[in-house]
Amino acid sequence: MTTHSDWRDATRVVHSGRTTDSQTGAVTPPIHLSTTFARADDAEPIGDYVYSRYQNPNREALERCLADLERGAAAAAFASGSAAANAILQSLEPGTVVYHASDLYHGVRSLMQSVSTRAGLECSALDCFDLDAVTAVIDRADVIWCETPSNPQLGIVDVTGLSALCRDAGVQLIVDNTFATPILQRPLALGADLVVHATTKYLAGHGDVTGGVVVAREENPFWERVVEVQRHAGAVPSPFDCWLTLRGIATLAVRVAQHVVNATEFASRLHAHPAVEAVLYPGLPDHPQRDLAEAQMSGPGGVVSMRVVGGEDAAAGFVSRLRWIPRATSLGGVHTLAEHRVLVEPDDSPVPRDLVRFSVGIEDIEDIWADVARALG
Ligand SMILES: *Cc1c(COP(=O)(O)O)cnc(C)c1O
């Protein structure tokens, strides 16, 4: 496998996990659709594979690449980010106390409150953005789960500080790195035990494949359980999905760089606009955790949220006046998307009802801004 330990990220995204095909010389990996792999006369598998749900060449290539980008020991790919999160939750014993950050992707929050709670986990929200609040409960916790930047309010969690608290208390720390990507932030190096991604977002990057991954700092017994859930529960991505995701990752470094340039300019223009009440973006000087974001990340990312003057109705009016920017959920693709979050958040969501989230794409910033400025009026 071609991975050099001294490669920089822009090289790793293109080469990690890939090899030139020994039979054909193909430089781009072939897609192996076969569900089963033959054994030799001595009953040993001919290659490294037995059955595609257990492992197949395309998934293995993707997993190696993702483990390498996060500088982890191993990775397990799933059919969605939610399936990746669920595999971790299913690997926990009934009675495990899980604290999740108060601002968290609503799907994972709902998963914890329904499926995981029925399975006997005790899941509740915690203000992970305040280490004093964490200290107050850490002795009761088994697992802490956070996102940074968080979805959709762009809060920043101090992963180094949080991981020190967790380590002292024997608590497992799980960080969803979907918003930052390994290009901007590496939570395992900051002390997290596991990293989760919706590869659906920036990693695949083109809005055309759903997937997820768990990356481990070390291959310990808990990791073996996650792999057991992957193989036996079978929420695995197809070979073609793995191939598409790996293809998308090849341009991750250049895409993320352009997302950051566009989002930084976009956020500062929004910030200066009289129809905008507040802009939530860790790259802005008035973000409450700006210094932490600068220390922990190499760029503030491509997602920008805003609150609109005039409340929920004004936010609804704004998104309805956009001409070419789709009003759609999801993020991290090449296209700019805008979403009035109240449409997807559950009724008890802590997210403000006037919040609009933008996934700033890689189009020309002047075109993005023209549509948004027109819709703001
Ligand atoms: C989208 C998302 C998920 C869930 O991923 P799916 O592929 O939609 O299941 C998890 N975490 C974050 C931060 C997300 O944005």
Side-chain angles (χ1 to χ4, degrees):
M1 196 61 53
T2 44
T3 295
H4 299 187
S5 57
D6 57 348
W7 272 349
R8 282 118 183 132
D9 281 335
T11 309
R12 289 179 193 238
V13 294
V14 177
H15 291 283
S16 288
R18 290 82 152 182
T19 41
T20 299
D21 184 57
S22 56
Q23 275 187 358
T24 63
V27 171
T28 295
I31 304 173
H32 293 274
L33 294 175
S34 185
T35 54
T36 191
F37 299 86
R39 293 173 185 267
D41 291 342
D42 63 359
E44 287 301 308
I46 292 172
D48 294 334
Y49 311 99
V50 173
Y51 184 60
S52 196
R53 170 159 50 76
Y54 294 157
Q55 190 53 296
N56 66 68
N58 295 101
R59 193 168 93 216
E60 185 170 32
L62 175 63
E63 289 173 345
R64 288 195 178 180
C65 179
L66 288 165
D68 182 54
L69 294 181
E70 289 287 4
R71 311 298 193 270
F78 291 87
S80 67
S82 302
N86 191 49
I88 297 172
L89 294 164
Q90 279 192 322
S91 301
L92 299 167
E93 292 291 335
T96 299
V97 176
V98 179
Y99 283 102
H100 64 78
S102 44
D103 192 44
L104 195 84
Y105 171 64
H106 71 91
V108 171
R109 205 169 59 222
S110 302
L111 169 69
M112 289 182 183
Q113 281 159 10
S114 57
V115 178
S116 308
T117 297
R118 280 202 296 279
L121 304 189
E122 292 176 28
C123 304
S124 41
L126 171 66
D127 182 0
C128 292
F129 308 101
D130 174 4
L131 292 186
D132 291 338
V134 175
T135 304
V137 302
I138 194 92
D139 288 339
R140 274 184 280 135
D142 297 309
V143 173
I144 292 185
W145 189 301
C146 64
E147 297 167 359
T148 181
S150 65
N151 186 0
Q153 298 192 74
L154 286 304
I156 304 293
V157 174
D158 176 356
V159 180
T160 306
L162 184 57
S163 71
L165 292 176
C166 287
R167 201 166 34 247
D168 289 347
V171 171
Q172 205 173 2
L173 177 60
I174 295 156
V175 176
D176 185 326
N177 202 28
T178 298
F179 271 40
T181 83
I183 299 297
L184 300 178
Q185 169 177 279
R186 287 205 291 272
L188 298 178
L190 302 174
D193 296 297
L194 296 175
V195 160
V196 188
H197 279 280
T199 57
T200 313
K201 313 292 173 52
Y202 287 102
L203 287 162
H206 297 74
D208 52 13
V209 53
T210 305
V213 71
V214 182
V215 187
R217 196 178 51 196
E218 56 178 67
E219 292 184 89
N220 55 23
F222 188 79
W223 173 250
E224 300 305 328
R225 284 184 166 212
V226 173
V227 173
E228 189 177 53
V229 174
Q230 180 201 35
R231 294 181 176 184
H232 294 317
V236 290
S238 73
F240 184 49
D241 285 353
C242 295
W243 187 93
L244 270 179
T245 302
L246 195 60
R247 198 268 294 268
I249 288 171
T251 55
L252 184 68
V254 288
R255 280 188 287 107
V256 167
Q258 192 59 41
H259 283 296
V260 169
V261 166
N262 279 1
T264 301
E265 178 63 21
F266 182 73
S268 77
R269 290 188 190 187
L270 276 185
H271 193 258
H273 199 287
V276 177
E277 180 82 43
V279 183
L280 288 64
Y281 183 61
L284 283 175
D286 70 351
H287 188 282
Q289 297 135 314
R290 157 87 184 228
D291 292 344
L292 176 58
E294 274 197 348
Q296 183 166 283
M297 307 173 72
S298 57
V303 180
V304 178
S305 290
M306 72 169 179
R307 300 185 62 180
V308 185
V309 172
E312 182 175 350
D313 292 346
F318 163 76
V319 288
S320 70
R321 286 190 298 273
L322 290 167
R323 289 204 185 143
W324 65 263
I325 295 175
R327 322 165 43 167
T329 199
S330 201
L331 57 104
V334 289
H335 359 60
T336 297
L337 301 174
E339 180 177 44
H340 187 195
R341 285 300 289 182
V342 82
L343 297 175
V344 292
E345 296 281 340
D347 289 343
D348 63 352
S349 170
V351 174
R353 301 186 69 82
D354 58 1
L355 187 138
V356 176
R357 188 188 71 190
F358 296 95
S359 177
V360 181
I362 61 167
E363 305 96 332
D364 193 296
I365 184 63
E366 298 305 336
D367 295 322
I368 299 169
W369 181 248
D371 200 22
V372 168
R374 189 194 308 109
L376 281 171

